[in-house]
Each structure stands twice: as C-alpha cells, then as structure tokens.
Amino acid sequence: EVQLVQSGAEVKKPGESLKISCKISGYTLTRNWIGWVRQTPGKVLECMGIIYPGDSDTSYSPSFQGQVTISVDKSISTAYLHWSSLKASDTAIYYCARFGLGSAFDYWGQGTLVTVSS
Amino acid sequence: QSALTQPASVSGSPGQSITLSCTGVSGDVGRFDHVSWYQQHPGKAPKLIIFEGSKRPSGVSNRFSASKSGITASLTISGLQAEDEADYYCCSYADSITLGVFGGGTKLTVL
C-alpha cells in the first residue's frame, strides 16, 4: 500500500527556519517524482515543486524558486521541504504527493499545518 | 501562469447529475491532455479522481466522468450522493517551468 506520512504541525515565528518531512513507503521510490503542494488558508492549491528521488533532480514553480528547498534522503525514503527564513505568508497546509498517473498527484500525505506568527 | 477558473460553488439534489467546469487558456488546458481532478473533503487531503483528462484511478466510482473541449475541462458527477459533498479542484499541466496549475476550486453542496 502506497503511503506518504508527513511530520506534525508546526508553530514558528517569522525569520525562523523549518524543515518538514514526508516518509514514503509501499512502492519503489525511484519510480516516481515527489511533489509538494501548498494549500493557503483561503484553500487555494499551488504546486511548489517536484523532486526525483533517484538523483535529487528538482524543479520549482517560479513562485517558489528561491523561497524553499526541496530535498530527499533516499536511504530513509523521506522527502523534505525547508525554509531558511519563514514569513507570515507561509502559513498554510503543506502536502507531499506522488507525481504519478498521467502527470497527476495520485497519492497524498495527510498534510502538515505550518503556522507562522509573532 | 494564472490559476484555472472554476465556479465557486454549485449545488444539486441526490440522484441528479451535475457538471463542474474548469476554464484555462490555450497554453494549459487547451494545449495538453494532462487535466486532473481532485476531490477534497473537509480536513482531508485531496484525492485524485480523474487523470489525463478522462481516466479514473482504480477504486474511483464510475459516477465520475470528465471531458475537455477547447480550453474548458468538465467533471460530471452522476447519481449525486451525500458523500459527494466536497471541494473539487482541477489541475492542468502547463509547462516544464510552471508545472501544475490548479483551479480555485468548486464547493459542491448536496441539498
């Protein structure tokens, strides 16, 4: 069974750093890209970027280029989303998802709520 | 790349058929067949219900069907059930730079 299990909710202050995780299991990791999707408090979904676990090749949507870093540790089948300096506008739910069937996100993690507030 | 346009809300009665629209531009929906649809219940992650414009993943009810004409993609739900009440999002592959572009979502209410 394909599963993506994300780390728990975070509350941070502006300027702080954060790395959230996504533990992947149930299939051969290097068969699919993994993506991160942001859902804003207004429920807008935005594709942030994708990473290929085989060689860590990464592609970011223009809005998120330079704002976050996506990485993967193949040895523990875990993908990460990292911020070096959070802003209040980063408050959202973040989902990891497998980029699979027909260039769609076919399996999703349960989401990680990130709250950034002073 | 602008978000795809979806109506904010639609409603229907149990047993009815209802169609949700998703309008893009020639560079996304109009150009590619990689339109996907997602269902999201409150407090849950989105669930893929349609990929490549009209295909259903294993386990998704055949009450869900989809098509595309020009720059507009459509999702039809037949035999509406209470459990269908959810938010529905379309998504189109745009290009290798922008990756996926989502619609703003449609809230479906089953009366």
Side-chain angles (χ1 to χ4, degrees), chain B residues 4-85:
Chain B
L4 307 178
T5 300
Q6 296 184 252
S9 62
V10 296
S11 61
S13 300
Q16 278 188 325
S17 288
I18 199 158
T19 297
L20 283 59
S21 64
C22 169
T23 302
V25 296
S26 58
D28 45 49
V29 174
R31 183 178 173 192
F32 299 104
D33 289 327
H34 292 107
V35 176
S36 51
W37 289 88
Y38 301 85
Q39 177 192 62
Q40 186 178 33
H41 288 108
K44 300 293 188 182
K47 173 189 173 185
L48 178 66
I49 56 174
I50 294 288
F51 67 99
E52 283 183 359
S54 61
K55 298 177 182 177
R56 285 187 306 275
S58 174
V60 172
S61 171
N62 59 8
R63 297 187 298 105
F64 294 93
S65 62
S67 62
K68 188 188 82 168
S69 177
I71 62 170
T72 299
S74 299
L75 173 71
T76 298
I77 309 172
S78 58
L80 210 54
Q81 299 179 1
E83 68 203 47
D84 299 330
E85 185 162 292

Side-chain angles (χ1 to χ4, degrees), chain B residues 85-111:
Chain B
E85 185 162 292
D87 293 326
Y88 290 84
Y89 295 88
C90 60
C91 181
S92 176
Y93 178 80
D95 53 50
S96 61
I97 305 292
T98 310
L99 305 178
V101 178
F102 283 94
T106 296
K107 180 176 179 57
L108 170 62
T109 300
V110 180
L111 302 170

Side-chain angles (χ1 to χ4, degrees), chain A residues 100-116:
Chain A
L101 293 171
S103 299
F105 291 113
D106 58 359
Y107 288 91
W108 294 65
Q110 82 277 20
T112 296
L113 173 62
V114 174
T115 303
V116 184

